[in-house]
Amino acid sequence: QVQLVESGGGSVQAGDSLRLSCTASGRTFSGYYMGWFRQAPGKEREFVAVITWMGGTTRYADSVKGRFAIFRDRTKNTLYLQMNRLIPEDTAVYYCAARKDISNNYYSADTYDYWGQGTQVTVAR
């Protein structure tokens, strides 16, 4: 059974940094896309970043490009999201997700097969 477990969320001030982790288990993720999404209160879940597990190719939402970095450590089966220069608009529950689908719509939450439970990130002004 696939499990994705996020950690690293918290409450910070604007301008601070946080690193989220997502430990994956239950299968090999060769050929998978691993992504981060977030959901703020009253809003839909939105794409943040994605990485191909084997090749390490990355894509980012425009709102986080240049501030966030997604990377993975395959030896530890762990996905990371380094978040720098945080702003209040980054406040949300952050989820990691995995999908086998290799189509280009990696930004669509509906195409992901597995999800973590989420970790809260709160950025104060």
Side-chain angles (χ1 to χ4, degrees):
Q1 181 167 340
V2 173
Q3 277 197 313
L4 303 175
V5 180
E6 302 98 335
S7 60
S11 296
V12 297
Q13 299 292 315
D16 286 351
S17 298
L18 273 177
R19 178 178 293 184
L20 305 183
S21 301
C22 172
T23 302
S25 62
R27 66 162 301 122
T28 58
F29 291 92
S30 174
Y32 272 65
Y33 285 51
M34 306 293 287
W36 287 98
F37 286 76
R38 65 187 182 186
Q39 188 165 19
K43 295 189 176 181
E44 291 189 356
R45 193 168 296 191
E46 66 171 358
F47 167 75
V48 175
V50 68
I51 188 168
T52 58
W53 188 250
M54 294 302 291
T57 301
T58 59
R59 296 288 186 271
Y60 296 92
D62 287 344
S63 58
V64 306
K65 204 172 291 184
R67 298 189 299 121
F68 290 12
I70 186 172
F71 57 101
R72 83 278 188 248
D73 184 335
R74 287 188 282 145
T75 66
K76 297 180 179 179
N77 248 25
T78 300
L79 177 72
Y80 301 94
L81 185 69
Q82 177 67 41
M83 304 186 294
N84 299 323
R85 302 198 307 277
L86 284 160
I87 59 177
E89 290 73 19
D90 295 322
T91 295
V93 177
Y94 283 71
Y95 299 89
C96 71
R99 71 170 206 170
K100 184 66 174 177
D101 188 344
I102 62 171
S103 61
N104 286 336
N105 55 345
Y106 51 81
Y107 47 83
S108 172
D110 291 342
T111 65
Y112 285 75
D113 304 302
Y114 306 105
W115 291 87
Q117 82 288 351
T119 186
Q120 176 71 46
V121 172
T122 302
V123 184
R125 298 187 183 279

